[in-house]
Coordinates of all heavy atoms in Angstrom, one line a residue:
M3 N 22.8 -40.7 -10.7 CA 23.2 -40.5 -12.1 C 22.4 -41.7 -12.9 O 22.7 -42.8 -12.5 CB 24.6 -40.6 -12.3 CG 25.1 -40.7 -13.7 SD 25.8 -39.4 -14.6 CE 26.6 -38.4 -13.6
S4 N 21.9 -41.3 -14.0 CA 21.2 -42.4 -14.9 C 22.1 -42.4 -16.2 O 22.8 -41.6 -16.4 CB 19.8 -42.1 -15.1 OG 19.7 -40.8 -15.7
Y5 N 21.9 -43.6 -16.7 CA 22.7 -44.0 -18.0 C 21.6 -44.4 -19.2 O 20.5 -44.7 -18.9 CB 23.6 -45.0 -17.7 CG 24.6 -44.6 -16.8 CD1 24.5 -44.9 -15.4 CD2 25.9 -44.1 -17.2 CE1 25.4 -44.5 -14.5 CE2 26.8 -43.7 -16.3 CZ 26.7 -43.8 -14.9 OH 27.6 -43.6 -14.0
R6 N 22.2 -44.2 -20.3 CA 21.5 -44.7 -21.5 C 22.4 -45.6 -22.4 O 23.6 -45.2 -22.4 CB 20.9 -43.5 -22.3 CG 19.9 -42.7 -21.8 CD 19.6 -41.5 -22.6 NE 18.6 -40.6 -22.1 CZ 17.3 -40.5 -22.5 NH1 16.9 -41.4 -23.3 NH2 16.6 -39.7 -21.8
Y7 N 21.7 -46.6 -23.0 CA 22.4 -47.4 -23.9 C 22.1 -46.9 -25.3 O 21.0 -46.6 -25.6 CB 22.1 -48.9 -23.8 CG 22.7 -49.7 -25.0 CD1 23.9 -49.9 -25.2 CD2 21.6 -50.3 -25.9 CE1 24.4 -50.6 -26.4 CE2 22.0 -50.9 -26.9 CZ 23.5 -51.2 -27.1 OH 23.7 -51.8 -28.2
R8 N 23.1 -46.6 -26.1 CA 23.0 -46.2 -27.5 C 23.6 -47.1 -28.4 O 24.7 -47.5 -28.3 CB 23.5 -44.9 -27.6 CG 23.4 -44.2 -29.0 CD 23.9 -42.9 -29.1 NE 24.1 -42.4 -30.5 CZ 23.2 -42.4 -31.5 NH1 22.0 -42.9 -31.2 NH2 23.5 -42.2 -32.6
C9 N 22.7 -47.6 -29.6 CA 23.2 -48.4 -30.6 C 23.4 -47.5 -31.8 O 22.3 -47.0 -32.4 CB 22.3 -49.5 -30.8 SG 22.8 -50.6 -32.3
G10 N 24.6 -47.3 -32.3 CA 24.9 -46.4 -33.4 C 24.3 -47.1 -34.8 O 23.9 -46.3 -35.6
S11 N 24.4 -48.4 -34.9 CA 23.9 -49.1 -36.1 C 22.4 -48.9 -36.3 O 21.9 -48.6 -37.4 CB 24.1 -50.5 -36.0 OG 25.5 -50.8 -35.9
C12 N 21.6 -48.9 -35.2 CA 20.2 -48.8 -35.3 C 19.7 -47.4 -35.2 O 18.6 -46.9 -35.3 CB 19.4 -49.6 -34.1 SG 19.7 -51.3 -34.3
R13 N 20.7 -46.5 -34.7 CA 20.4 -45.0 -34.4 C 19.3 -45.1 -33.4 O 18.3 -44.3 -33.6 CB 20.0 -44.3 -35.6 CG 21.1 -44.2 -36.7 CD 20.8 -43.5 -37.9 NE 20.7 -42.1 -37.7 CZ 21.7 -41.2 -37.7 NH1 23.0 -41.8 -37.8 NH2 21.5 -39.9 -37.4
A14 N 19.4 -45.8 -32.3 CA 18.4 -45.9 -31.3 C 19.1 -45.8 -29.9 O 20.3 -46.1 -29.7 CB 17.7 -47.3 -31.4
T15 N 18.3 -45.2 -29.0 CA 18.8 -45.0 -27.6 C 17.8 -45.5 -26.6 O 16.5 -45.3 -26.7 CB 19.0 -43.5 -27.4 OG1 20.0 -43.0 -28.3 CG2 19.6 -43.2 -26.1
S16 N 18.3 -46.2 -25.5 CA 17.3 -46.8 -24.6 C 16.8 -45.7 -23.7 O 17.3 -44.5 -23.7 CB 18.0 -47.8 -23.7 OG 18.9 -47.0 -22.8
D17 N 15.7 -45.9 -23.0 CA 15.3 -45.1 -21.9 C 16.3 -44.9 -20.8 O 17.2 -46.0 -20.7 CB 14.0 -45.6 -21.3 CG 12.7 -45.4 -22.1 OD1 12.8 -44.4 -22.9 OD2 11.8 -46.2 -22.1
P18 N 16.4 -43.9 -20.1 CA 17.4 -43.7 -18.9 C 17.1 -44.9 -18.0 O 16.0 -45.2 -17.6 CB 17.2 -42.4 -18.4 CG 16.0 -41.9 -19.1 CD 15.6 -42.7 -20.1
V19 N 18.3 -45.5 -17.4 CA 18.1 -46.6 -16.5 C 19.1 -46.1 -15.2 O 19.9 -45.2 -15.4 CB 18.7 -47.9 -17.0 CG1 17.6 -48.5 -17.9 CG2 20.0 -47.8 -17.5
P20 N 18.8 -46.5 -13.9 CA 19.4 -46.0 -12.8 C 20.9 -46.3 -12.7 O 21.6 -45.6 -11.9 CB 18.6 -46.5 -11.7 CG 18.0 -47.8 -12.2 CD 17.8 -47.5 -13.6
S21 N 21.5 -47.2 -13.4 CA 23.0 -47.5 -13.1 C 23.6 -48.0 -14.5 O 22.9 -48.4 -15.4 CB 23.1 -48.6 -12.1 OG 22.6 -49.9 -12.6
R22 N 24.9 -48.0 -14.5 CA 25.7 -48.6 -15.6 C 25.4 -50.0 -15.8 O 25.3 -50.4 -16.9 CB 27.2 -48.2 -15.3 CG 28.0 -48.3 -16.5 CD 29.4 -47.9 -16.2 NE 29.7 -46.4 -16.3 CZ 29.9 -45.8 -17.4 NH1 30.0 -46.3 -18.6 NH2 30.1 -44.4 -17.3
R23 N 25.3 -50.6 -14.7 CA 25.0 -52.1 -14.8 C 23.6 -52.3 -15.5 O 23.6 -53.2 -16.4 CB 25.0 -52.6 -13.3 CG 24.6 -54.0 -13.3 CD 24.5 -54.5 -11.9 NE 25.1 -55.9 -11.8 CZ 25.6 -56.5 -10.7 NH1 25.5 -55.9 -9.6 NH2 26.0 -57.7 -10.7
A24 N 22.6 -51.5 -15.2 CA 21.2 -51.7 -15.8 C 21.4 -51.3 -17.3 O 20.8 -52.0 -18.2 CB 20.2 -50.8 -15.2
A25 N 22.3 -50.3 -17.7 CA 22.5 -50.0 -19.0 C 23.1 -51.2 -19.8 O 22.9 -51.5 -21.0 CB 23.3 -48.8 -19.3
R26 N 24.1 -51.9 -19.1 CA 24.7 -53.1 -19.8 C 23.7 -54.1 -20.1 O 23.6 -54.8 -20.9 CB 25.9 -53.5 -19.0 CG 27.2 -52.8 -19.2 CD 28.4 -53.5 -18.6 NE 28.4 -53.6 -17.2 CZ 28.9 -52.7 -16.4 NH1 29.6 -51.7 -16.8 NH2 29.0 -53.0 -15.1
A27 N 22.7 -54.3 -19.1 CA 21.6 -55.3 -19.4 C 20.9 -54.8 -20.5 O 20.3 -55.8 -21.3 CB 20.7 -55.3 -18.1
E28 N 20.6 -53.6 -20.7 CA 19.8 -53.1 -21.9 C 20.6 -53.4 -23.2 O 20.1 -53.8 -24.2 CB 19.6 -51.6 -21.9 CG 18.7 -51.1 -20.8 CD 17.2 -51.3 -21.3 OE1 16.9 -51.3 -22.6 OE2 16.3 -51.5 -20.5
Q29 N 21.9 -53.3 -23.0 CA 22.9 -53.6 -24.1 C 22.6 -55.1 -24.6 O 22.6 -55.4 -25.7 CB 24.3 -53.2 -23.8 CG 25.3 -53.4 -24.7 CD 26.7 -53.1 -24.2 OE1 27.0 -53.5 -23.1 NE2 27.5 -52.4 -25.0
R30 N 22.8 -55.9 -23.6 CA 22.6 -57.4 -23.8 C 21.4 -57.8 -24.4 O 21.3 -58.5 -25.4 CB 22.9 -58.1 -22.5 CG 24.4 -58.3 -22.1 CD 24.4 -59.3 -20.9 NE 23.7 -59.0 -19.8 CZ 24.2 -58.3 -18.9 NH1 25.4 -57.9 -18.8 NH2 23.4 -58.0 -17.8
R31 N 20.2 -57.1 -24.0 CA 18.9 -57.4 -24.6 C 18.8 -56.9 -26.0 O 18.4 -57.6 -26.9 CB 17.9 -56.7 -23.7 CG 17.3 -57.5 -22.6 CD 15.9 -57.0 -22.1 NE 16.2 -55.7 -21.5 CZ 16.6 -55.5 -20.2 NH1 16.6 -56.5 -19.3 NH2 16.6 -54.3 -19.8
H32 N 19.4 -55.8 -26.2 CA 19.4 -55.2 -27.5 C 20.2 -56.1 -28.5 O 19.7 -56.2 -29.7 CB 19.9 -53.7 -27.5 CG 19.8 -53.1 -29.0 ND1 18.7 -52.6 -29.4 CD2 20.8 -53.0 -29.9 CE1 19.0 -52.1 -30.7 NE2 20.2 -52.3 -31.0
R33 N 21.4 -56.5 -28.1 CA 22.2 -57.2 -29.0 C 21.5 -58.6 -29.3 O 21.5 -59.0 -30.5 CB 23.6 -57.7 -28.3 CG 24.5 -56.5 -28.2 CD 25.7 -57.0 -27.5 NE 26.8 -56.0 -27.5 CZ 27.9 -56.1 -26.8 NH1 28.1 -57.2 -26.0 NH2 28.8 -55.1 -26.7
A34 N 20.9 -59.2 -28.3 CA 20.3 -60.5 -28.5 C 19.0 -60.3 -29.4 O 18.8 -61.2 -30.3 CB 19.8 -61.0 -27.2
R35 N 18.2 -59.3 -29.1 CA 16.9 -59.1 -29.9 C 17.1 -58.5 -31.4 O 16.5 -59.1 -32.2 CB 16.0 -58.1 -29.0 CG 14.5 -58.2 -29.4 CD 13.8 -57.3 -28.4 NE 14.5 -56.1 -28.1 CZ 14.5 -55.6 -27.0 NH1 13.8 -56.0 -25.9 NH2 15.1 -54.4 -26.6
E36 N 18.0 -57.6 -31.5 CA 18.1 -56.9 -32.7 C 19.2 -57.4 -33.6 O 19.2 -57.1 -34.9 CB 18.2 -55.4 -32.5 CG 17.1 -54.8 -31.7 CD 15.6 -54.8 -32.4 OE1 15.7 -54.8 -33.7 OE2 14.8 -54.9 -31.8
H37 N 20.2 -57.9 -33.0 CA 21.5 -58.3 -33.8 C 21.8 -59.7 -33.6 O 23.0 -60.0 -33.8 CB 22.6 -57.3 -33.3 CG 22.4 -55.9 -33.5 ND1 22.4 -55.2 -34.7 CD2 22.0 -55.0 -32.6 CE1 22.1 -54.0 -34.6 NE2 21.8 -53.8 -33.3
A38 N 20.9 -60.7 -33.3 CA 21.2 -62.0 -33.1 C 22.5 -62.3 -32.3 O 23.1 -63.2 -32.5 CB 21.3 -62.7 -34.5
G39 N 22.6 -61.4 -31.3 CA 23.6 -61.7 -30.3 C 24.9 -61.1 -30.7 O 26.0 -61.2 -30.1
L40 N 25.1 -60.5 -31.9 CA 26.3 -60.0 -32.4 C 26.5 -58.7 -31.8 O 25.5 -58.0 -31.3 CB 26.3 -59.8 -34.0 CG 26.2 -61.2 -34.7 CD1 26.1 -61.1 -36.1 CD2 27.4 -62.2 -34.3
I41 N 27.7 -58.0 -32.0 CA 28.1 -56.7 -31.4 C 28.0 -55.7 -32.5 O 28.7 -55.7 -33.5 CB 29.5 -56.8 -30.8 CG1 29.6 -57.8 -29.7 CG2 29.7 -55.3 -30.2 CD1 31.0 -58.0 -29.1
P42 N 26.9 -54.8 -32.5 CA 26.9 -53.7 -33.4 C 27.8 -52.7 -33.3 O 28.5 -52.5 -32.3 CB 25.4 -53.1 -33.2 CG 25.3 -53.3 -31.7 CD 26.0 -54.7 -31.3
D43 N 28.2 -52.0 -34.6 CA 29.1 -51.0 -34.6 C 28.7 -49.8 -33.8 O 27.5 -49.5 -33.7 CB 29.5 -50.5 -36.1 CG 30.2 -51.7 -36.7 OD1 30.9 -52.6 -36.0 OD2 30.1 -51.6 -38.1
D44 N 29.6 -49.0 -33.2 CA 29.3 -47.8 -32.7 C 28.3 -47.8 -31.6 O 27.3 -47.0 -31.6 CB 28.9 -46.7 -33.8 CG 29.0 -45.3 -33.4 OD1 29.8 -45.0 -32.4 OD2 28.4 -44.5 -34.0
E45 N 28.4 -48.7 -30.6 CA 27.4 -48.6 -29.5 C 28.1 -48.0 -28.2 O 29.4 -48.0 -28.2 CB 26.9 -50.0 -29.1 CG 28.0 -51.0 -28.7 CD 27.4 -52.3 -28.2 OE1 26.1 -52.6 -28.4 OE2 28.2 -53.2 -27.8
S46 N 27.3 -47.4 -27.4 CA 27.9 -46.9 -26.2 C 27.0 -46.8 -25.0 O 25.8 -46.9 -25.2 CB 28.5 -45.4 -26.5 OG 27.3 -44.7 -27.0
I47 N 27.6 -46.6 -23.9 CA 26.7 -46.3 -22.6 C 27.1 -45.0 -22.1 O 28.3 -44.8 -21.8 CB 26.9 -47.4 -21.6 CG1 26.4 -48.8 -22.0 CG2 26.4 -47.0 -20.2 CD1 26.6 -49.9 -21.2
E48 N 26.2 -44.1 -22.2 CA 26.5 -42.6 -21.8 C 25.6 -42.3 -20.6 O 24.5 -42.6 -20.3 CB 26.2 -41.8 -22.9 CG 26.8 -42.2 -24.2 CD 26.2 -41.6 -25.5 OE1 25.1 -41.0 -25.3 OE2 26.8 -41.7 -26.6
P49 N 26.3 -41.3 -19.8 CA 25.5 -40.7 -18.7 C 24.3 -40.0 -19.3 O 24.5 -39.3 -20.4 CB 26.5 -39.8 -18.0 CG 28.0 -40.1 -18.5 CD 27.7 -40.8 -19.8
D50 N 23.2 -39.9 -18.6 CA 22.1 -39.3 -19.2 C 22.2 -37.7 -18.7 O 22.3 -37.4 -17.6 CB 20.8 -39.9 -18.5 CG 19.5 -39.2 -19.1 OD1 19.6 -38.7 -20.3 OD2 18.6 -39.2 -18.4
D51 N 22.1 -36.8 -19.7 CA 22.3 -35.5 -19.4 C 21.0 -34.7 -19.1 O 21.0 -33.5 -19.1 CB 22.9 -34.7 -20.5 CG 24.4 -35.2 -20.8 OD1 24.9 -35.6 -19.9 OD2 24.8 -35.2 -22.0
D52 N 20.0 -35.4 -18.9 CA 18.6 -34.8 -18.7 C 18.6 -34.4 -17.1 O 18.5 -35.3 -16.2 CB 17.5 -35.8 -18.9 CG 16.1 -35.2 -18.8 OD1 16.1 -33.8 -18.7 OD2 15.2 -35.8 -19.0
H53 N 18.7 -33.1 -16.8 CA 18.8 -32.6 -15.5 C 17.4 -32.0 -15.0 O 17.5 -31.1 -14.3 CB 19.9 -31.6 -15.3 CG 21.2 -32.2 -15.4 ND1 21.8 -33.2 -14.7 CD2 22.2 -32.1 -16.4 CE1 22.9 -33.6 -15.0 NE2 23.2 -32.9 -16.1
T54 N 16.4 -32.4 -15.4 CA 15.1 -32.0 -15.0 C 14.8 -32.2 -13.6 O 15.3 -33.3 -13.2 CB 13.8 -32.5 -15.9 OG1 14.0 -33.9 -15.9 CG2 14.0 -32.0 -17.4
I55 N 14.2 -31.4 -12.8 CA 14.1 -31.6 -11.4 C 12.9 -32.5 -11.0 O 12.9 -33.1 -10.0 CB 13.9 -30.3 -10.6 CG1 12.8 -29.5 -11.0 CG2 15.2 -29.6 -10.7 CD1 12.5 -28.3 -10.3
G56 N 12.0 -32.7 -11.9 CA 10.8 -33.8 -11.7 C 9.9 -33.2 -10.7 O 10.0 -32.0 -10.1
V57 N 8.7 -34.0 -10.4 CA 7.7 -33.5 -9.7 C 8.1 -33.3 -8.1 O 7.8 -32.3 -7.5 CB 6.5 -34.5 -9.5 CG1 5.4 -34.2 -8.7 CG2 5.9 -34.6 -11.0
G58 N 8.9 -34.2 -7.6 CA 9.5 -34.1 -6.2 C 10.2 -32.8 -6.0 O 9.9 -32.1 -5.0
G59 N 11.1 -32.4 -6.9 CA 11.9 -31.3 -6.9 C 10.9 -30.0 -7.1 O 11.1 -29.0 -6.3
L60 N 10.0 -30.0 -7.9 CA 9.0 -28.9 -8.0 C 8.3 -28.6 -6.7 O 8.1 -27.5 -6.3 CB 8.0 -29.2 -9.2 CG 7.4 -28.1 -9.8 CD1 8.4 -27.2 -10.5 CD2 6.4 -28.6 -10.9
L61 N 7.7 -29.7 -6.1 CA 7.1 -29.6 -4.8 C 7.9 -29.1 -3.7 O 7.5 -28.2 -2.9 CB 6.5 -31.0 -4.4 CG 5.3 -31.5 -5.1 CD1 5.0 -33.0 -4.7 CD2 4.0 -30.6 -4.9
L62 N 9.2 -29.5 -3.7 CA 10.2 -29.0 -2.8 C 10.5 -27.5 -3.0 O 10.3 -26.7 -1.9 CB 11.5 -29.7 -2.8 CG 12.6 -29.4 -1.8 CD1 12.1 -29.9 -0.4 CD2 13.8 -30.1 -2.2
V63 N 10.6 -27.0 -4.1 CA 10.7 -25.6 -4.4 C 9.5 -24.8 -3.9 O 9.6 -23.7 -3.4 CB 10.9 -25.4 -5.9 CG1 10.8 -24.0 -6.3 CG2 12.3 -25.9 -6.3
L64 N 8.3 -25.4 -4.2 CA 7.0 -24.7 -3.8 C 7.0 -24.6 -2.3 O 6.6 -23.6 -1.8 CB 5.8 -25.6 -4.4 CG 4.5 -24.9 -4.5 CD1 4.5 -23.8 -5.5 CD2 3.5 -25.9 -4.9
L65 N 7.3 -25.6 -1.6 CA 7.3 -25.6 -0.2 C 8.2 -24.5 0.4 O 7.8 -23.8 1.4 CB 7.6 -27.1 0.4 CG 7.7 -27.3 1.8 CD1 6.2 -27.2 2.5 CD2 8.3 -28.5 2.3
I66 N 9.4 -24.6 -0.1 CA 10.3 -23.6 0.4 C 9.8 -22.1 0.1 O 9.9 -21.3 1.0 CB 11.7 -23.8 -0.3 CG1 12.3 -25.1 0.3 CG2 12.7 -22.7 0.0 CD1 13.6 -25.6 -0.5
G67 N 9.2 -21.9 -1.1 CA 8.7 -20.6 -1.4 C 7.5 -20.3 -0.5 O 7.6 -19.1 0.0
C68 N 6.8 -21.2 0.0 CA 5.7 -20.9 0.8 C 6.2 -20.5 2.3 O 5.8 -19.5 2.9 CB 4.7 -22.1 1.1 SG 3.7 -22.3 -0.2
L69 N 7.3 -21.3 2.7 CA 7.9 -21.0 4.0 C 8.5 -19.6 4.1 O 8.5 -18.9 5.0 CB 9.1 -22.0 4.3 CG 8.5 -23.4 4.7 CD1 9.7 -24.4 4.8 CD2 7.7 -23.4 5.9
I70 N 9.2 -19.3 2.9 CA 9.8 -17.8 2.7 C 8.7 -16.8 2.9 O 8.8 -15.8 3.6 CB 10.5 -17.8 1.5 CG1 11.9 -18.5 1.6 CG2 11.0 -16.3 1.3 CD1 12.6 -18.7 0.2
V71 N 7.6 -17.0 2.2 CA 6.5 -16.0 2.2 C 5.9 -15.9 3.6 O 5.6 -14.8 4.1 CB 5.3 -16.5 1.1 CG1 4.1 -15.7 1.3 CG2 5.9 -16.3 -0.3
E72 N 5.8 -17.1 4.2 CA 5.2 -16.9 5.7 C 6.2 -16.3 6.6 O 5.7 -15.4 7.3 CB 5.0 -18.4 6.1 CG 4.3 -18.5 7.4 CD 4.1 -19.9 8.0 OE1 3.5 -20.7 7.4 OE2 4.8 -20.1 9.1
A73 N 7.5 -16.6 6.4 CA 8.4 -15.8 7.3 C 8.3 -14.3 7.0 O 8.4 -13.5 7.9 CB 9.8 -16.3 6.9
L74 N 8.3 -13.9 5.8 CA 8.2 -12.6 5.5 C 6.9 -11.9 6.0 O 7.0 -10.7 6.5 CB 8.3 -12.3 3.9 CG 9.6 -12.6 3.3 CD1 9.6 -12.5 1.8 CD2 10.7 -11.6 3.8
T75 N 5.8 -12.6 6.0 CA 4.7 -12.1 6.5 C 4.8 -11.9 8.0 O 4.3 -10.8 8.6 CB 3.4 -13.1 6.1 OG1 3.4 -13.4 4.9 CG2 2.1 -12.5 6.6
R76 N 5.4 -12.8 8.7 CA 5.4 -12.6 10.1 C 6.3 -11.4 10.5 O 6.1 -10.7 11.5 CB 6.2 -13.9 10.7 CG 5.1 -15.0 10.8 CD 5.8 -16.3 11.4 NE 4.9 -17.4 11.2 CZ 4.7 -18.3 12.1 NH1 5.4 -18.3 13.2 NH2 3.9 -19.3 11.9
I77 N 7.5 -11.1 9.6 CA 8.4 -10.1 9.9 C 7.6 -8.7 9.6 O 7.8 -7.9 10.4 CB 9.6 -10.1 8.9 CG1 10.5 -11.3 9.4 CG2 10.4 -8.9 9.0 CD1 11.5 -11.7 8.4
A78 N 6.7 -8.7 8.7 CA 6.0 -7.4 8.3 C 5.0 -7.0 9.3 O 4.7 -5.9 9.4 CB 5.3 -7.7 6.8
Y79 N 4.4 -8.1 10.0 CA 3.3 -7.7 11.1 C 3.8 -7.8 12.5 O 4.7 -8.5 12.9 CB 2.1 -8.6 10.9 CG 1.5 -8.3 9.6 CD1 1.6 -9.1 8.5 CD2 0.6 -7.1 9.5 CE1 1.0 -8.9 7.3 CE2 0.0 -6.9 8.2 CZ 0.1 -7.7 7.1 OH -0.5 -7.4 6.0
Ligands
ZN24 ZN1 21.2 -52.0 -32.7

């Protein structure tokens, strides 16, 4: 599961990071850089809802598809 840090004051959201801890690091960096270390209003750390399967998932689906086609071909002959 990946997470994003969101700053409501800046209306900005970080890139997805692999853990809540990494999102908190984004939060600290953002506070220091954009808000002089102060805590902005309405900030949050949210789970990333992007459920795309990515290149690895696509290749896996393609491989399974090829195996199914090959199995069907063997059954047909
Ligand atoms: Zn901000």
Side-chain angles (χ1 to χ4, degrees):
M3 160 107 36
S4 59
Y5 294 88
R6 289 175 185 262
Y7 165 68
R8 177 167 162 64
C9 178
S11 296
C12 298
R13 301 178 67 83
T15 306
S16 74
D17 285 331
V19 291
S21 67
R22 196 173 277 275
R23 178 181 218 160
R26 277 197 294 269
E28 287 287 329
Q29 181 181 42
R30 279 193 299 274
R31 270 196 296 273
H32 180 82
R33 284 177 178 178
R35 198 172 40 215
E36 304 294 333
H37 301 281
L40 299 177
I41 302 170
D43 291 340
D44 196 25
E45 61 173 5
S46 59
I47 291 173
E48 301 163 352
D50 184 31
D51 292 331
D52 188 9
H53 292 298
T54 55
I55 57 174
V57 175
L60 203 62
L61 286 174
L62 187 66
V63 168
L64 198 65
L65 179 69
I66 291 171
C68 287
L69 289 173
I70 290 171
V71 167
E72 189 185 292
L74 290 174
T75 307
R76 285 177 191 224
I77 290 169
Y79 291 102

